[in-house]
Amino acid sequence: KYELNVGNNGNIALNGDGAGNPTDSAINFNPSGGDNFKSKRLAGRLVFKPVSDGGLAIGVASVLSHYSVTPSDPFLASNPSMPNLVFSDLAQLLLEGEVIYTDENFELLSEFYLFDDTVGGRSTTSGSANNSAFYAQLAYQVAPDLKPYIRVENLYVDGTDPFFQATVSSN
């Protein structure tokens, strides 16, 4: 199975406390107002199921997006502890892999993500390829109304990455 998507890129609305410290943020893809970038957000996904009615699925996906930051606090751009907090063009390449298996009683869900962020045409941003996330979950149906599970997850974010500074540091 395959999926292809085209859409608007994102704008990060970043709010501050008036002294240059971020307080909260939100990503807006502005479906009605258009896109701030000439290029569009592109996404694709491939999933392989060896048996049409079997429970195993193996997949890969990728998303190429561009983001800009709109700060409500003019002092956010000069915050010395987060020098890359405000940017006008960050390209983000997201790579994902997944392995899923389900049957009547057993469930295995797992996904792995890599984020590679580059600001304004620079070849690299310090630590930009060092962002990753994963989870794995096992579950078993022991009774009609009881399905215990165990889940392990991790998010590693390089603190110097501008995308994660703008979206995570304030939350």
Side-chain angles (χ1 to χ4, degrees):
K1 142 173 133 163
Y2 65 93
E3 300 170 13
L4 298 173
N5 299 290
V6 176
N8 287 347
N9 289 291
N11 180 53
I12 301 169
L14 182 61
N15 296 312
D17 63 2
N21 300 305
T23 57
D24 63 82
S25 62
I27 298 176
N28 179 7
F29 291 101
N30 201 13
S32 61
D35 198 335
N36 295 337
F37 296 93
K38 293 178 185 175
S39 63
K40 288 293 183 188
R41 177 185 177 111
L42 302 173
R45 182 172 178 242
L46 294 172
V47 176
F48 174 68
K49 289 186 68 114
V51 179
S52 64
D53 63 347
L56 178 64
I58 301 168
V60 294
S62 183
V63 180
L64 177 59
S65 303
H66 289 266
Y67 294 93
S68 60
V69 171
T70 303
S72 66
D73 176 355
F75 299 107
L76 286 169
S78 59
N79 184 329
S81 65
M82 293 182 252
N84 297 316
L85 193 59
V86 177
F87 48 82
S88 60
D89 184 8
L90 178 136
Q92 182 180 76
L93 178 62
L94 170 65
L95 303 173
E96 182 259 355
E98 61 191 63
V99 176
I100 297 171
Y101 179 82
T102 58
D103 64 22
E104 292 178 12
N105 296 315
F106 180 75
E107 176 180 88
L108 164 68
L109 308 173
S110 63
E111 296 181 26
F112 179 79
Y113 297 88
L114 288 174
F115 302 87
D116 187 7
D117 298 329
T118 304
V119 173
R122 289 186 248 158
S123 60
T124 61
T125 299
S126 177
S128 67
N130 292 326
N131 303 298
S132 61
F134 74 86
Y135 80 91
Q137 177 174 310
L138 292 170
Y140 190 78
Q141 191 83 41
V142 295
D145 293 333
L146 182 60
K147 188 177 196 177
Y149 68 91
I150 185 167
R151 182 179 180 107
V152 176
E153 56 187 50
N154 185 53
L155 170 63
Y156 174 77
V157 174
D158 184 322
T160 64
D161 187 289
F163 177 81
F164 289 102
Q165 278 187 351
T167 57
V168 176
S169 65
S170 60
N171 297 320

